[in-house]
Amino acid sequence: MAVPNVPPRSITGPASTNDSQVLSTYLSGIPGATRSTRMIIPEPASCSRPVLFTEVQKRPVGLKLNRSFSAEKLEIIEKLLEPHNEAIIDEYFRKVNVCLPLLDEVSFRRQYREDKTRISPALLACLYAHTIVYWQSSPVLSRYRCPESRFIWNLANEAVYSELHLSPGMSIIKAIVLNIGGRPTTSLIGNGVLLGSAVSMAHSLGLNHSPLPWQIPLPEKYLRMKIWWALLVHDRWTSLAHGTPPHIQKSQYDVPPPTLEYLSEGLADGNNPRSELRTNIFISLVTLSEVLDRFLQYVYCVGRDKQTTTDLEHALHRWVETLEGPCRRIVLRGSHLDVTGAANLRLAYLTAKLLLQRIQLEAEKQGDHVNEEGVLNRYSGARMTSEEMLMLIQDFQPEHLGDFWMSVSSFSFPAAVNFLLRCALETENSPEGLAQSPSFRIARDIITTLRSHQEQYKWDLGDICLAQHAEIVEKILAGVAPDEQGGNNSSLDLQDFDASILDHIFPSVWDPLQNAW
């Protein structure tokens, strides 16, 4: 039998029943002044007193009914961050969203202020977790103790997987983008799984199609394109970092490239010249990611690729030629690094350039007639790019380290150092010559600089490189190389040293070229 949905009742004590009865009788004559009570009158012949029921709270105060699992995780995160929740959101829009626009700031802030329960719990949880890495560099947040970021990330991950399973939609794609872009990077497989899920859902929701001719509101068109661009950037650079082919194929989407017009919608300071420069930096990052895709297609192609290394070189040169004003100086000279996102763009360009030079080097070495002079020139060009990367991080000030960084940028350094060590080992015949070689000195200085940034400012982008390469650099400096059993060989003879041992010391997952060839 169905039970009627009635509010919970409690019996009022006999001593106060008559008082409540008089008050209820009086209030019954006043419209809108009734009390939540119910009087049960006994039979006339009975000697029982009237029984009065009044409504009481069924659950403890603050305990909500039918909350989702992701909402429960979000509540824990918000309790850990209180009273700095809004300051973290301010920091997100100040540093992250201007570099990788994913949310409409005006509408998001209005919704957060009026009824934030309508915002996806997984999205909000990942926003908090993603932004907490900027805590120490924030003028407001740095005055307070930073909560344990790993615990918050674990809660955010649980919220994402729960919402992905129970209620996937547009919001969960944005949450995943924030999740896989979080720092520090500790879960390659997990990020890969989430990225693949986000790409699959994006295709299911039609984000890969241009919404411009559709009869939908203009803000919705721009929002769909912003999500796609952010997903595209992460797909390309994650592919390079993880050593796996990209999920998104060029032939399967027709979303136009970003423009100032598309990106100005929803910005709180859209007319600010500095905001326009930040927008141009994002546009440059997206178009550079498209150039990177051509490199990746060449690297991961199983059959014969129609592209040549000359085609790839021209593609990068054409991209540079499209840059104007401050963006061009950021990319080519490393200036204007005080602008949010500028340092990240400069490092991304050097990473793509180094990948191209390594592709050209491998192609030069695999030809039928190897040109030794050409190979040496390729080595020299790649070494110069690695040195540009070194000078970039040497010039970093605390404000640059606390700026926006893509999490996958951390893989640029181990790839560069690994290449430099290989160059040194392949061109030198003695430990003394190895330690003094230009390639090894650049690798050593990169390690030293990254360690300094880590110790002084807790900059996490060098963690992977230090974990993978710091020990081997120290051993080479000491004239000791690891043997196959993990022991030490104090009498290092570089003529008998096989540079391929680096493939066993450093897992190939860090290097897509090692996976491709």
Side-chain angles (χ1 to χ4, degrees):
M1 182 176 65
V3 179
N5 186 18
V6 296
R9 305 279 184 177
S10 176
I11 299 177
T12 301
S16 60
T17 300
N18 293 333
D19 300 337
S20 299
Q21 182 179 1
V22 172
L23 182 58
S24 297
T25 303
Y26 172 75
L27 292 176
S28 64
I30 303 177
T34 57
R35 301 182 68 195
S36 299
T37 59
R38 179 189 178 194
M39 178 73 71
I40 298 180
I41 308 296
E43 296 291 337
S46 173
C47 61
S48 300
R49 295 182 179 182
V51 178
L52 181 67
F53 289 86
T54 183
E55 289 187 7
V56 297
Q57 179 69 29
K58 186 177 182 179
R59 291 172 298 278
V61 176
L63 185 62
K64 300 178 181 178
L65 182 63
N66 296 329
R67 289 184 307 167
S68 65
F69 182 80
S70 58
E72 292 178 356
K73 300 304 176 182
L74 173 62
E75 184 177 13
I76 298 174
I77 293 176
E78 291 189 319
K79 289 300 180 182
L80 291 171
L81 298 177
E82 285 182 351
H84 310 298
N85 305 41
E86 293 192 16
I88 293 176
I89 290 177
D90 293 340
E91 192 71 12
Y92 169 78
F93 283 107
R94 188 172 73 88
K95 282 189 178 177
V96 181
N97 204 64
V98 296
C99 298
L100 202 68
L102 199 61
L103 303 176
D104 185 300
E105 181 177 358
V106 175
S107 62
F108 180 88
R109 288 187 180 275
R110 181 174 60 250
Q111 188 65 68
Y112 185 87
R113 182 175 57 254
E114 295 175 356
D115 184 11
K116 70 176 183 179
T117 59
R118 297 182 61 185
I119 301 175
S120 161
L123 172 60
L124 200 49
C126 288
L127 186 152
Y128 288 133
H130 184 101
T131 314
I132 202 172
V133 73
Y134 302 102
W135 187 289
Q136 298 301 333
S137 60
S138 168
V140 177
L141 296 172
S142 59
R143 294 178 292 178
Y144 306 97
R145 184 188 66 83
C146 180
E148 173 55 46
S149 61
R150 178 46 48 194
F151 181 65
I152 290 177
W153 263 121
N154 290 338
L155 294 171
N157 287 336
E158 293 180 32
V160 166
Y161 281 107
S162 172
E163 197 163 311
L164 178 63
H165 174 66
L166 296 176
S167 56
M170 200 84 74
S171 294
I172 195 62
I173 297 179
K174 293 186 282 187
I176 289 175
V177 170
L178 291 176
N179 188 287
I180 61 179
R183 294 164 41 202
T185 300
T186 58
S187 177
L188 268 68
I189 295 178
N191 287 345
V193 170
L194 285 177
L195 178 60
S197 300
V199 172
S200 177
M201 290 179 55
H203 282 100
S204 299
L205 296 173
L207 293 181
N208 58 315
H209 296 295
S210 172
L212 294 179
W214 297 358
Q215 294 183 357
I216 59 177
L218 196 61
E220 183 179 349
K221 294 181 182 181
Y222 292 162
L223 180 61
R224 291 176 66 91
M225 291 192 293
K226 287 177 183 178
I227 297 173
W228 180 258
W229 295 324
L231 197 58
L232 191 72
V233 168
H234 276 288
D235 181 57
R236 301 303 189 235
W237 294 97
T238 300
S239 170
L240 175 62
H242 292 188
T244 56
H247 295 82
I248 301 174
Q249 300 300 316
K250 179 68 175 177
S251 60
Q252 297 172 351
Y253 66 92
D254 60 356
V255 179
T259 64
L260 287 173
E261 176 189 357
Y262 301 153
L263 292 166
S264 60
E265 181 74 21
L267 292 180
D269 57 346
N271 296 324
N272 189 320
R274 197 171 183 85
S275 175
E276 182 177 325
L277 176 55
R278 291 195 298 260
T279 302
N280 280 322
I281 289 174
F282 171 70
I283 294 173
S284 301
L285 179 62
V286 175
T287 52
L288 176 61
S289 301
E290 295 284 31
V291 176
L292 175 64
D293 180 57
R294 296 191 60 173
F295 299 171
L296 297 173
Q297 295 302 326
Y298 182 94
V299 170
Y300 295 119
C301 181
V302 176
R304 182 178 296 275
D305 197 309
K306 295 181 180 180
Q307 297 185 101
T308 65
T309 58
T310 303
D311 295 332
L312 303 182
E313 186 175 14
H314 288 166
L316 185 60
H317 289 169
R318 284 194 300 270
W319 175 80
V320 173
E321 290 171 358
T322 63
L323 303 176
E324 298 178 353
C327 274
R328 188 177 182 86
R329 291 191 288 274
I330 288 169
V331 167
L332 296 180
R333 297 172 51 188
S335 61
H336 297 82
L337 295 185
D338 59 313
V339 180
T340 307
N344 179 77
L345 177 62
R346 168 69 171 162
L347 180 58
Y349 166 69
L350 293 177
T351 303
K353 182 180 178 182
L354 181 59
L355 174 62
L356 170 62
Q357 291 168 330
R358 295 172 64 202
I359 290 174
Q360 292 173 324
L361 174 61
E362 294 294 337
E364 195 85 40
K365 292 168 66 175
Q366 291 180 357
D368 295 333
H369 303 286
V370 178
N371 185 345
E372 295 296 337
E373 184 177 352
V375 170
L376 292 177
N377 288 335
R378 296 298 186 189
Y379 271 121
S380 178
R383 185 167 55 245
M384 291 176 63
T385 301
S386 301
E387 190 170 12
E388 288 185 79
M389 193 178 296
L390 167 63
M391 291 187 290
L392 175 67
I393 61 176
Q394 285 178 333
D395 291 340
F396 282 165
Q397 300 300 314
E399 56 269 21
H400 302 135
L401 301 176
D403 196 6
F404 166 81
W405 292 99
M406 292 190 298
S407 61
V408 289
S409 297
S410 59
F411 295 91
S412 302
F413 304 120
V417 171
N418 200 27
F419 170 75
L420 290 166
L421 292 179
R422 184 180 297 277
C423 290
L425 289 169
E426 289 179 346
T427 56
E428 299 298 332
N429 297 320
S430 67
E432 294 77 12
L434 174 63
Q436 296 299 321
S437 69
S439 297
F440 184 81
R441 283 190 282 108
I442 296 172
R444 178 197 61 199
D445 290 345
I446 289 176
I447 293 291
T448 302
T449 305
L450 291 176
R451 182 183 286 114
S452 175
H453 290 333
Q454 182 194 63
E455 293 174 351
Q456 294 186 49
Y457 306 107
K458 294 180 171 49
W459 198 49
D460 59 285
L461 258 69
D463 291 353
I464 294 174
C465 185
L466 293 174
Q468 293 290 315
H469 296 87
E471 184 179 359
I472 188 64
V473 168
E474 293 172 357
K475 287 184 176 181
I476 291 177
L477 282 174
V480 179
D483 59 25
E484 294 182 357
Q485 286 75 34
N488 293 333
N489 178 13
S490 57
S491 57
L492 176 64
D493 185 358
L494 294 182
Q495 290 182 334
D496 299 328
F497 186 81
D498 182 6
S500 65
I501 192 175
L502 294 177
D503 295 341
H504 301 286
I505 300 172
F506 314 131
S508 60
V509 72
W510 309 117
D511 192 345
L513 285 179
Q514 293 181 23
N515 284 349
W517 288 299

